[in-house]
Amino acid sequence: QSVLTQPPSASGTPGQRVTISCSGSSSNIGSSAVNWYQQFPGTAPKLLIFTNDQRPSGVPDRFSGSKSGTSASLAISGLQSDDEADYYCASWDDSLNGFYVFGTGTKVTVL
Amino acid sequence: QVQLQESGPGLVKPSETLSLTCTVSGDSLSLYYWGWIRQPPGKELEWIGYIYYTGSTYYNPSLKSRVTISVDTSKNQFSLKLISVTAADTAVYYCARGKLRYTTSGSRSHYFDPWGQGTLVTVSS
């Protein structure tokens, strides 16, 4: 059971802005950077945002990340049908000698 | 361009050992962490653990008593062993390259990129 909580679903129409939240605690998001992964059905996750707000090469600038205190957010602006996927936040947790933890995941639907 | 490929049995009997290997091409194992992540059907991702190229290991506390991750730099491979499996260990298993960076404020940033395509392992008699 994940210690990073995300809403199960989010949706928007093409062109809209969608925001996904990721809530953690002082032992994870509060003390370590947050990363975001995008996963299409039947495929491996792909790194979307690293170190809170950095985009890997090839990721459109429609995707942006932010972090404040013990929470983080992923924003998708100019929503496209190709953005329909599952999104996971992740961070390092300093408790129990340290471990990497993924969020509960959010399914984004383009209406 | 670095690529990772998982290999191993797709079916394991309950109480037996799950063994998977990840072969890395296009990059050396040096200077990176190499990790295993799994995803039960229809569920969220779960970090299993990772190994630094020097051999240092880090495991998920919930799996630590059953997991061993090892590295073979001569073959550019790293491996996962999970003992005493049950149906709850049925999942798609991914291997991935891990990076550790530090922010300007000194916070750690761990992330995985790229990932292998994943392999489904079913635990059933």
Side-chain angles (χ1 to χ4, degrees), chain B residues 22-67:
Chain B
C22 183
T23 301
V24 180
S25 59
D27 197 3
S28 164
L29 295 188
S30 298
L31 302 181
Y32 291 110
Y33 293 84
W34 301 93
W36 289 96
I37 302 101
R38 70 180 184 179
Q39 185 173 36
K43 296 189 177 180
E44 63 205 50
L45 299 164
E46 179 181 34
W47 177 72
I48 299 171
Y50 59 32
I51 188 166
Y52 195 45
Y53 77 102
T54 57
S56 299
T57 52
Y58 306 82
Y59 298 133
N60 187 322
S62 67
L63 298 170
K64 187 175 183 178
S65 63
R66 298 194 293 130
V67 172

mmCIF file of all heavy atoms in Angstrom, chain B residues 22-67:
data_model
loop_
_atom_site.group_PDB
_atom_site.id
_atom_site.type_symbol
_atom_site.label_atom_id
_atom_site.label_comp_id
_atom_site.label_asym_id
_atom_site.label_seq_id
_atom_site.Cartn_x
_atom_site.Cartn_y
_atom_site.Cartn_z
ATOM 1 N N CYS B 22 18.107 -9.264 -16.172
ATOM 2 C CA CYS B 22 17.965 -8.089 -17.027
ATOM 3 C C CYS B 22 19.282 -7.872 -17.766
ATOM 4 O O CYS B 22 20.339 -7.706 -17.133
ATOM 5 C CB CYS B 22 17.616 -6.858 -16.198
ATOM 6 S SG CYS B 22 17.347 -5.362 -17.178
ATOM 7 N N THR B 23 19.215 -7.920 -19.083
ATOM 8 C CA THR B 23 20.403 -7.694 -19.897
ATOM 9 C C THR B 23 20.400 -6.256 -20.409
ATOM 10 O O THR B 23 19.409 -5.797 -20.991
ATOM 11 C CB THR B 23 20.441 -8.668 -21.086
ATOM 12 O OG1 THR B 23 20.447 -10.006 -20.575
ATOM 13 C CG2 THR B 23 21.681 -8.442 -21.928
ATOM 14 N N VAL B 24 21.510 -5.571 -20.165
ATOM 15 C CA VAL B 24 21.634 -4.159 -20.541
ATOM 16 C C VAL B 24 22.506 -4.040 -21.786
ATOM 17 O O VAL B 24 23.617 -4.592 -21.833
ATOM 18 C CB VAL B 24 22.260 -3.348 -19.392
ATOM 19 C CG1 VAL B 24 22.396 -1.881 -19.787
ATOM 20 C CG2 VAL B 24 21.411 -3.483 -18.131
ATOM 21 N N SER B 25 22.020 -3.345 -22.784
ATOM 22 C CA SER B 25 22.806 -3.100 -23.988
ATOM 23 C C SER B 25 22.892 -1.596 -24.237
ATOM 24 O O SER B 25 21.992 -0.844 -23.880
ATOM 25 C CB SER B 25 22.190 -3.806 -25.191
ATOM 26 O OG SER B 25 20.863 -3.356 -25.395
ATOM 27 N N GLY B 26 24.013 -1.184 -24.810
ATOM 28 C CA GLY B 26 24.173 0.225 -25.141
ATOM 29 C C GLY B 26 24.711 1.082 -24.017
ATOM 30 O O GLY B 26 24.803 2.298 -24.166
ATOM 31 N N ASP B 27 25.049 0.463 -22.885
ATOM 32 C CA ASP B 27 25.576 1.222 -21.753
ATOM 33 C C ASP B 27 26.283 0.261 -20.820
ATOM 34 O O ASP B 27 25.978 -0.934 -20.784
ATOM 35 C CB ASP B 27 24.447 1.937 -21.012
ATOM 36 C CG ASP B 27 24.952 3.050 -20.102
ATOM 37 O OD1 ASP B 27 26.175 3.309 -20.085
ATOM 38 O OD2 ASP B 27 24.119 3.662 -19.403
ATOM 39 N N SER B 28 27.210 0.796 -20.058
ATOM 40 C CA SER B 28 27.883 0.003 -19.033
ATOM 41 C C SER B 28 27.080 0.078 -17.737
ATOM 42 O O SER B 28 26.355 1.028 -17.484
ATOM 43 C CB SER B 28 29.294 0.565 -18.803
ATOM 44 O OG SER B 28 29.841 0.077 -17.612
ATOM 45 N N LEU B 29 27.236 -0.944 -16.906
ATOM 46 C CA LEU B 29 26.548 -0.934 -15.617
ATOM 47 C C LEU B 29 27.169 0.075 -14.647
ATOM 48 O O LEU B 29 26.553 0.429 -13.633
ATOM 49 C CB LEU B 29 26.576 -2.318 -14.985
ATOM 50 C CG LEU B 29 25.828 -3.441 -15.703
ATOM 51 C CD1 LEU B 29 25.791 -4.685 -14.841
ATOM 52 C CD2 LEU B 29 24.414 -3.022 -16.069
ATOM 53 N N SER B 30 28.360 0.525 -14.961
ATOM 54 C CA SER B 30 29.096 1.403 -14.051
ATOM 55 C C SER B 30 28.383 2.736 -13.853
ATOM 56 O O SER B 30 27.787 3.277 -14.780
ATOM 57 C CB SER B 30 30.515 1.660 -14.582
ATOM 58 O OG SER B 30 31.228 0.454 -14.667
ATOM 59 N N LEU B 31 28.481 3.223 -12.648
ATOM 60 C CA LEU B 31 28.027 4.566 -12.253
ATOM 61 C C LEU B 31 26.515 4.714 -12.167
ATOM 62 O O LEU B 31 26.007 5.810 -11.992
ATOM 63 C CB LEU B 31 28.590 5.644 -13.195
ATOM 64 C CG LEU B 31 30.115 5.700 -13.300
ATOM 65 C CD1 LEU B 31 30.530 6.811 -14.246
ATOM 66 C CD2 LEU B 31 30.742 5.902 -11.926
ATOM 67 N N TYR B 32 25.775 3.616 -12.299
ATOM 68 C CA TYR B 32 24.335 3.720 -12.172
ATOM 69 C C TYR B 32 23.821 2.729 -11.135
ATOM 70 O O TYR B 32 24.489 1.769 -10.772
ATOM 71 C CB TYR B 32 23.646 3.413 -13.509
ATOM 72 C CG TYR B 32 23.856 4.453 -14.569
ATOM 73 C CD1 TYR B 32 24.645 4.190 -15.680
ATOM 74 C CD2 TYR B 32 23.244 5.700 -14.474
ATOM 75 C CE1 TYR B 32 24.837 5.136 -16.666
ATOM 76 C CE2 TYR B 32 23.428 6.656 -15.461
ATOM 77 C CZ TYR B 32 24.225 6.366 -16.548
ATOM 78 O OH TYR B 32 24.403 7.314 -17.527
ATOM 79 N N TYR B 33 22.577 2.967 -10.709
ATOM 80 C CA TYR B 33 21.816 1.981 -9.958
ATOM 81 C C TYR B 33 20.988 1.189 -10.973
ATOM 82 O O TYR B 33 20.616 1.710 -12.015
ATOM 83 C CB TYR B 33 20.868 2.677 -8.972
ATOM 84 C CG TYR B 33 21.558 3.417 -7.849
ATOM 85 C CD1 TYR B 33 22.034 4.711 -8.030
ATOM 86 C CD2 TYR B 33 21.709 2.822 -6.597
ATOM 87 C CE1 TYR B 33 22.659 5.388 -7.004
ATOM 88 C CE2 TYR B 33 22.335 3.511 -5.566
ATOM 89 C CZ TYR B 33 22.808 4.783 -5.777
ATOM 90 O OH TYR B 33 23.431 5.459 -4.759
ATOM 91 N N TRP B 34 20.691 -0.059 -10.633
ATOM 92 C CA TRP B 34 19.895 -0.906 -11.518
ATOM 93 C C TRP B 34 18.797 -1.540 -10.689
ATOM 94 O O TRP B 34 19.077 -2.221 -9.704
ATOM 95 C CB TRP B 34 20.794 -1.942 -12.192
ATOM 96 C CG TRP B 34 21.868 -1.258 -12.980
ATOM 97 C CD1 TRP B 34 23.122 -0.933 -12.563
ATOM 98 C CD2 TRP B 34 21.749 -0.743 -14.312
ATOM 99 N NE1 TRP B 34 23.793 -0.247 -13.552
ATOM 100 C CE2 TRP B 34 22.985 -0.133 -14.631
ATOM 101 C CE3 TRP B 34 20.726 -0.751 -15.274
ATOM 102 C CZ2 TRP B 34 23.213 0.465 -15.869
ATOM 103 C CZ3 TRP B 34 20.955 -0.160 -16.501
ATOM 104 C CH2 TRP B 34 22.187 0.441 -16.788
ATOM 105 N N GLY B 35 17.545 -1.307 -11.093
ATOM 106 C CA GLY B 35 16.439 -1.663 -10.227
ATOM 107 C C GLY B 35 15.417 -2.605 -10.819
ATOM 108 O O GLY B 35 15.355 -2.835 -12.036
ATOM 109 N N TRP B 36 14.620 -3.155 -9.924
ATOM 110 C CA TRP B 36 13.483 -4.005 -10.281
ATOM 111 C C TRP B 36 12.214 -3.378 -9.688
ATOM 112 O O TRP B 36 12.192 -2.964 -8.527
ATOM 113 C CB TRP B 36 13.659 -5.414 -9.741
ATOM 114 C CG TRP B 36 14.731 -6.200 -10.439
ATOM 115 C CD1 TRP B 36 16.025 -6.368 -10.048
ATOM 116 C CD2 TRP B 36 14.587 -6.909 -11.674
ATOM 117 N NE1 TRP B 36 16.702 -7.128 -10.963
ATOM 118 C CE2 TRP B 36 15.842 -7.482 -11.967
ATOM 119 C CE3 TRP B 36 13.531 -7.120 -12.558
ATOM 120 C CZ2 TRP B 36 16.072 -8.264 -13.109
ATOM 121 C CZ3 TRP B 36 13.746 -7.892 -13.693
ATOM 122 C CH2 TRP B 36 15.008 -8.455 -13.954
ATOM 123 N N ILE B 37 11.190 -3.332 -10.508
ATOM 124 C CA ILE B 37 9.874 -2.813 -10.127
ATOM 125 C C ILE B 37 8.846 -3.802 -10.641
ATOM 126 O O ILE B 37 9.021 -4.391 -11.704
ATOM 127 C CB ILE B 37 9.613 -1.416 -10.767
ATOM 128 C CG1 ILE B 37 10.702 -0.418 -10.363
ATOM 129 C CG2 ILE B 37 8.236 -0.905 -10.412
ATOM 130 C CD1 ILE B 37 11.775 -0.168 -11.398
ATOM 131 N N ARG B 38 7.766 -3.992 -9.916
ATOM 132 C CA ARG B 38 6.726 -4.906 -10.378
ATOM 133 C C ARG B 38 5.362 -4.245 -10.327
ATOM 134 O O ARG B 38 5.165 -3.239 -9.634
ATOM 135 C CB ARG B 38 6.732 -6.198 -9.571
ATOM 136 C CG ARG B 38 6.264 -6.064 -8.135
ATOM 137 C CD ARG B 38 6.311 -7.417 -7.431
ATOM 138 N NE ARG B 38 5.775 -7.342 -6.063
ATOM 139 C CZ ARG B 38 5.682 -8.393 -5.251
ATOM 140 N NH1 ARG B 38 6.093 -9.601 -5.671
ATOM 141 N NH2 ARG B 38 5.188 -8.244 -4.036
ATOM 142 N N GLN B 39 4.427 -4.840 -11.067
ATOM 143 C CA GLN B 39 3.071 -4.303 -11.134
ATOM 144 C C GLN B 39 2.077 -5.450 -11.256
ATOM 145 O O GLN B 39 1.928 -6.043 -12.331
ATOM 146 C CB GLN B 39 2.940 -3.346 -12.320
ATOM 147 C CG GLN B 39 1.609 -2.633 -12.409
ATOM 148 C CD GLN B 39 1.614 -1.575 -13.506
ATOM 149 O OE1 GLN B 39 2.214 -1.747 -14.564
ATOM 150 N NE2 GLN B 39 0.932 -0.456 -13.251
ATOM 151 N N PRO B 40 1.393 -5.797 -10.169
ATOM 152 C CA PRO B 40 0.339 -6.816 -10.259
ATOM 153 C C PRO B 40 -0.722 -6.371 -11.256
ATOM 154 O O PRO B 40 -0.941 -5.173 -11.445
ATOM 155 C CB PRO B 40 -0.223 -6.858 -8.839
ATOM 156 C CG PRO B 40 0.867 -6.319 -7.977
ATOM 157 C CD PRO B 40 1.551 -5.291 -8.810
ATOM 158 N N PRO B 41 -1.392 -7.313 -11.903
ATOM 159 C CA PRO B 41 -2.406 -6.965 -12.902
ATOM 160 C C PRO B 41 -3.437 -5.972 -12.377
ATOM 161 O O PRO B 41 -4.047 -6.204 -11.333
ATOM 162 C CB PRO B 41 -3.043 -8.320 -13.233
ATOM 163 C CG PRO B 41 -1.972 -9.313 -12.942
ATOM 164 C CD PRO B 41 -1.222 -8.761 -11.777
ATOM 165 N N GLY B 42 -3.576 -4.853 -13.064
ATOM 166 C CA GLY B 42 -4.564 -3.853 -12.690
ATOM 167 C C GLY B 42 -4.226 -3.024 -11.473
ATOM 168 O O GLY B 42 -5.063 -2.254 -10.996
ATOM 169 N N LYS B 43 -2.983 -3.172 -10.971
ATOM 170 C CA LYS B 43 -2.620 -2.456 -9.745
ATOM 171 C C LYS B 43 -1.453 -1.494 -9.978
ATOM 172 O O LYS B 43 -0.970 -1.330 -11.081
ATOM 173 C CB LYS B 43 -2.281 -3.454 -8.644
ATOM 174 C CG LYS B 43 -3.466 -4.327 -8.241
ATOM 175 C CD LYS B 43 -3.147 -5.153 -7.006
ATOM 176 C CE LYS B 43 -4.357 -5.965 -6.577
ATOM 177 N NZ LYS B 43 -4.077 -6.778 -5.357
ATOM 178 N N GLU B 44 -1.054 -0.842 -8.876
ATOM 179 C CA GLU B 44 -0.023 0.181 -8.985
ATOM 180 C C GLU B 44 1.377 -0.435 -9.013
ATOM 181 O O GLU B 44 1.570 -1.629 -8.766
ATOM 182 C CB GLU B 44 -0.122 1.139 -7.792
ATOM 183 C CG GLU B 44 0.124 0.461 -6.449
ATOM 184 C CD GLU B 44 -0.534 1.185 -5.297
ATOM 185 O OE1 GLU B 44 -1.735 1.491 -5.381
ATOM 186 O OE2 GLU B 44 0.170 1.442 -4.289
ATOM 187 N N LEU B 45 2.342 0.398 -9.299
ATOM 188 C CA LEU B 45 3.736 -0.009 -9.337
ATOM 189 C C LEU B 45 4.287 -0.210 -7.928
ATOM 190 O O LEU B 45 3.923 0.519 -7.000
ATOM 191 C CB LEU B 45 4.575 1.066 -10.051
ATOM 192 C CG LEU B 45 4.197 1.353 -11.504
ATOM 193 C CD1 LEU B 45 4.806 2.674 -11.956
ATOM 194 C CD2 LEU B 45 4.666 0.211 -12.408
ATOM 195 N N GLU B 46 5.184 -1.177 -7.780
ATOM 196 C CA GLU B 46 5.818 -1.437 -6.490
ATOM 197 C C GLU B 46 7.319 -1.606 -6.710
ATOM 198 O O GLU B 46 7.744 -2.464 -7.489
ATOM 199 C CB GLU B 46 5.250 -2.687 -5.825
ATOM 200 C CG GLU B 46 5.907 -3.001 -4.474
ATOM 201 C CD GLU B 46 5.360 -4.251 -3.827
ATOM 202 O OE1 GLU B 46 5.002 -5.202 -4.550
ATOM 203 O OE2 GLU B 46 5.295 -4.300 -2.584
ATOM 204 N N TRP B 47 8.109 -0.805 -6.014
ATOM 205 C CA TRP B 47 9.552 -0.911 -6.090
ATOM 206 C C TRP B 47 10.018 -2.147 -5.319
ATOM 207 O O TRP B 47 9.631 -2.341 -4.166
ATOM 208 C CB TRP B 47 10.181 0.343 -5.503
ATOM 209 C CG TRP B 47 11.671 0.367 -5.435
ATOM 210 C CD1 TRP B 47 12.535 0.502 -6.486
ATOM 211 C CD2 TRP B 47 12.479 0.314 -4.256
ATOM 212 N NE1 TRP B 47 13.838 0.518 -6.009
ATOM 213 C CE2 TRP B 47 13.831 0.403 -4.662
ATOM 214 C CE3 TRP B 47 12.200 0.187 -2.894
ATOM 215 C CZ2 TRP B 47 14.887 0.380 -3.762
ATOM 216 C CZ3 TRP B 47 13.249 0.178 -1.986
ATOM 217 C CH2 TRP B 47 14.587 0.267 -2.426
ATOM 218 N N ILE B 48 10.836 -2.979 -5.944
ATOM 219 C CA ILE B 48 11.355 -4.173 -5.289
ATOM 220 C C ILE B 48 12.716 -3.880 -4.657
ATOM 221 O O ILE B 48 12.992 -4.253 -3.519
ATOM 222 C CB ILE B 48 11.500 -5.330 -6.301
ATOM 223 C CG1 ILE B 48 10.134 -5.687 -6.887
ATOM 224 C CG2 ILE B 48 12.151 -6.543 -5.640
ATOM 225 C CD1 ILE B 48 10.200 -6.671 -8.053
ATOM 226 N N GLY B 49 13.563 -3.199 -5.426
ATOM 227 C CA GLY B 49 14.878 -2.876 -4.895
ATOM 228 C C GLY B 49 15.812 -2.474 -6.010
ATOM 229 O O GLY B 49 15.441 -2.512 -7.186
ATOM 230 N N TYR B 50 17.025 -2.067 -5.621
ATOM 231 C CA TYR B 50 18.020 -1.849 -6.657
ATOM 232 C C TYR B 50 19.426 -2.089 -6.132
ATOM 233 O O TYR B 50 19.659 -2.261 -4.935
ATOM 234 C CB TYR B 50 17.868 -0.509 -7.372
ATOM 235 C CG TYR B 50 17.928 0.773 -6.607
ATOM 236 C CD1 TYR B 50 18.695 0.974 -5.477
ATOM 237 C CD2 TYR B 50 17.186 1.866 -7.087
ATOM 238 C CE1 TYR B 50 18.738 2.195 -4.840
ATOM 239 C CE2 TYR B 50 17.220 3.082 -6.458
ATOM 240 C CZ TYR B 50 18.002 3.249 -5.335
ATOM 241 O OH TYR B 50 18.037 4.468 -4.703
ATOM 242 N N ILE B 51 20.340 -2.175 -7.092
ATOM 243 C CA ILE B 51 21.728 -2.469 -6.793
ATOM 244 C C ILE B 51 22.597 -1.437 -7.485
ATOM 245 O O ILE B 51 22.338 -1.048 -8.625
ATOM 246 C CB ILE B 51 22.103 -3.903 -7.235
ATOM 247 C CG1 ILE B 51 23.507 -4.278 -6.755
ATOM 248 C CG2 ILE B 51 21.960 -4.087 -8.748
ATOM 249 C CD1 ILE B 51 23.798 -5.780 -6.863
ATOM 250 N N TYR B 52 23.613 -0.951 -6.773
ATOM 251 C CA TYR B 52 24.589 -0.065 -7.370
ATOM 252 C C TYR B 52 25.621 -0.951 -8.064
ATOM 253 O O TYR B 52 25.792 -2.112 -7.689
ATOM 254 C CB TYR B 52 25.222 0.806 -6.288
ATOM 255 C CG TYR B 52 25.976 1.999 -6.794
ATOM 256 C CD1 TYR B 52 25.444 2.818 -7.784
ATOM 257 C CD2 TYR B 52 27.226 2.349 -6.266
ATOM 258 C CE1 TYR B 52 26.129 3.933 -8.240
ATOM 259 C CE2 TYR B 52 27.921 3.466 -6.714
ATOM 260 C CZ TYR B 52 27.363 4.244 -7.701
ATOM 261 O OH TYR B 52 28.040 5.347 -8.149
ATOM 262 N N TYR B 53 26.311 -0.424 -9.046
ATOM 263 C CA TYR B 53 27.235 -1.253 -9.814
ATOM 264 C C TYR B 53 28.347 -1.837 -8.941
ATOM 265 O O TYR B 53 28.957 -2.849 -9.276
ATOM 266 C CB TYR B 53 27.829 -0.438 -10.977
ATOM 267 C CG TYR B 53 28.910 0.531 -10.582
ATOM 268 C CD1 TYR B 53 30.245 0.246 -10.800
ATOM 269 C CD2 TYR B 53 28.586 1.756 -9.999
ATOM 270 C CE1 TYR B 53 31.242 1.150 -10.454
ATOM 271 C CE2 TYR B 53 29.563 2.660 -9.645
ATOM 272 C CZ TYR B 53 30.886 2.357 -9.869
ATOM 273 O OH TYR B 53 31.852 3.258 -9.507
ATOM 274 N N THR B 54 28.577 -1.221 -7.793
ATOM 275 C CA THR B 54 29.608 -1.725 -6.874
ATOM 276 C C THR B 54 29.115 -2.941 -6.094
ATOM 277 O O THR B 54 29.907 -3.625 -5.448
ATOM 278 C CB THR B 54 29.996 -0.639 -5.863
ATOM 279 O OG1 THR B 54 28.802 -0.219 -5.170
ATOM 280 C CG2 THR B 54 30.629 0.549 -6.560
ATOM 281 N N GLY B 55 27.793 -3.179 -6.142
ATOM 282 C CA GLY B 55 27.222 -4.312 -5.421
ATOM 283 C C GLY B 55 26.376 -3.946 -4.220
ATOM 284 O O GLY B 55 25.725 -4.808 -3.634
ATOM 285 N N SER B 56 26.364 -2.683 -3.843
ATOM 286 C CA SER B 56 25.507 -2.251 -2.725
ATOM 287 C C SER B 56 24.042 -2.405 -3.110
ATOM 288 O O SER B 56 23.655 -2.053 -4.218
ATOM 289 C CB SER B 56 25.796 -0.787 -2.382
ATOM 290 O OG SER B 56 27.128 -0.604 -1.995
ATOM 291 N N THR B 57 23.265 -2.940 -2.178
ATOM 292 C CA THR B 57 21.850 -3.202 -2.480
ATOM 293 C C THR B 57 20.915 -2.447 -1.544
ATOM 294 O O THR B 57 21.262 -2.151 -0.397
ATOM 295 C CB THR B 57 21.552 -4.704 -2.378
ATOM 296 O OG1 THR B 57 22.023 -5.183 -1.108
ATOM 297 C CG2 THR B 57 22.228 -5.478 -3.489
ATOM 298 N N TYR B 58 19.721 -2.172 -2.053
ATOM 299 C CA TYR B 58 18.667 -1.487 -1.305
ATOM 300 C C TYR B 58 17.355 -2.193 -1.647
ATOM 301 O O TYR B 58 17.031 -2.348 -2.818
ATOM 302 C CB TYR B 58 18.591 -0.010 -1.711
ATOM 303 C CG TYR B 58 19.907 0.707 -1.592
ATOM 304 C CD1 TYR B 58 20.856 0.609 -2.597
ATOM 305 C CD2 TYR B 58 20.211 1.461 -0.463
ATOM 306 C CE1 TYR B 58 22.083 1.242 -2.497
ATOM 307 C CE2 TYR B 58 21.435 2.110 -0.349
ATOM 308 C CZ TYR B 58 22.368 1.987 -1.368
ATOM 309 O OH TYR B 58 23.585 2.618 -1.253
ATOM 310 N N TYR B 59 16.624 -2.621 -0.633
ATOM 311 C CA TYR B 59 15.421 -3.408 -0.870
ATOM 312 C C TYR B 59 14.196 -2.769 -0.231
ATOM 313 O O TYR B 59 14.278 -2.096 0.793
ATOM 314 C CB TYR B 59 15.593 -4.816 -0.300
ATOM 315 C CG TYR B 59 16.712 -5.622 -0.925
ATOM 316 C CD1 TYR B 59 17.625 -6.316 -0.129
ATOM 317 C CD2 TYR B 59 16.843 -5.717 -2.307
ATOM 318 C CE1 TYR B 59 18.643 -7.066 -0.690
ATOM 319 C CE2 TYR B 59 17.862 -6.468 -2.877
ATOM 320 C CZ TYR B 59 18.760 -7.139 -2.067
ATOM 321 O OH TYR B 59 19.768 -7.881 -2.634
ATOM 322 N N ASN B 60 13.040 -3.058 -0.828
ATOM 323 C CA ASN B 60 11.776 -2.665 -0.237
ATOM 324 C C ASN B 60 11.629 -3.406 1.095
ATOM 325 O O ASN B 60 11.743 -4.633 1.137
ATOM 326 C CB ASN B 60 10.630 -3.043 -1.185
ATOM 327 C CG ASN B 60 9.281 -2.515 -0.728
ATOM 328 O OD1 ASN B 60 8.964 -2.493 0.459
ATOM 329 N ND2 ASN B 60 8.476 -2.109 -1.688
ATOM 330 N N PRO B 61 11.389 -2.676 2.180
ATOM 331 C CA PRO B 61 11.289 -3.345 3.488
ATOM 332 C C PRO B 61 10.254 -4.472 3.515
ATOM 333 O O PRO B 61 10.441 -5.458 4.230
ATOM 334 C CB PRO B 61 10.880 -2.201 4.425
ATOM 335 C CG PRO B 61 11.389 -0.971 3.775
ATOM 336 C CD PRO B 61 11.262 -1.226 2.297
ATOM 337 N N SER B 62 9.191 -4.335 2.723
ATOM 338 C CA SER B 62 8.139 -5.360 2.743
ATOM 339 C C SER B 62 8.557 -6.639 2.037
ATOM 340 O O SER B 62 7.911 -7.678 2.194
ATOM 341 C CB SER B 62 6.870 -4.800 2.092
ATOM 342 O OG SER B 62 7.076 -4.589 0.712
ATOM 343 N N LEU B 63 9.631 -6.595 1.251
ATOM 344 C CA LEU B 63 10.091 -7.768 0.505
ATOM 345 C C LEU B 63 11.499 -8.204 0.897
ATOM 346 O O LEU B 63 11.971 -9.247 0.442
ATOM 347 C CB LEU B 63 10.075 -7.469 -1.002
ATOM 348 C CG LEU B 63 8.719 -7.155 -1.620
ATOM 349 C CD1 LEU B 63 8.903 -6.635 -3.041
ATOM 350 C CD2 LEU B 63 7.821 -8.386 -1.627
ATOM 351 N N LYS B 64 12.128 -7.418 1.745
ATOM 352 C CA LYS B 64 13.555 -7.595 2.018
ATOM 353 C C LYS B 64 13.946 -9.009 2.416
ATOM 354 O O LYS B 64 15.001 -9.509 2.026
ATOM 355 C CB LYS B 64 13.974 -6.606 3.118
ATOM 356 C CG LYS B 64 15.455 -6.562 3.385
ATOM 357 C CD LYS B 64 15.796 -5.474 4.384
ATOM 358 C CE LYS B 64 17.304 -5.389 4.605
ATOM 359 N NZ LYS B 64 17.661 -4.294 5.547
ATOM 360 N N SER B 65 13.107 -9.683 3.186
ATOM 361 C CA SER B 65 13.451 -11.023 3.683
ATOM 362 C C SER B 65 13.440 -12.077 2.576
ATOM 363 O O SER B 65 13.957 -13.181 2.755
ATOM 364 C CB SER B 65 12.480 -11.436 4.788
ATOM 365 O OG SER B 65 11.168 -11.520 4.272
ATOM 366 N N ARG B 66 12.878 -11.737 1.411
ATOM 367 C CA ARG B 66 12.742 -12.732 0.349
ATOM 368 C C ARG B 66 13.505 -12.374 -0.929
ATOM 369 O O ARG B 66 13.547 -13.186 -1.857
ATOM 370 C CB ARG B 66 11.268 -12.912 -0.016
ATOM 371 C CG ARG B 66 10.400 -13.414 1.119
ATOM 372 C CD ARG B 66 9.042 -13.907 0.604
ATOM 373 N NE ARG B 66 8.205 -12.837 0.077
ATOM 374 C CZ ARG B 66 7.609 -12.878 -1.104
ATOM 375 N NH1 ARG B 66 7.772 -13.917 -1.908
ATOM 376 N NH2 ARG B 66 6.841 -11.873 -1.499
ATOM 377 N N VAL B 67 14.095 -11.197 -0.977
ATOM 378 C CA VAL B 67 14.676 -10.691 -2.225
ATOM 379 C C VAL B 67 16.204 -10.672 -2.195
ATOM 380 O O VAL B 67 16.813 -10.321 -1.174
ATOM 381 C CB VAL B 67 14.176 -9.261 -2.502
ATOM 382 C CG1 VAL B 67 14.920 -8.640 -3.691
ATOM 383 C CG2 VAL B 67 12.686 -9.263 -2.777
#
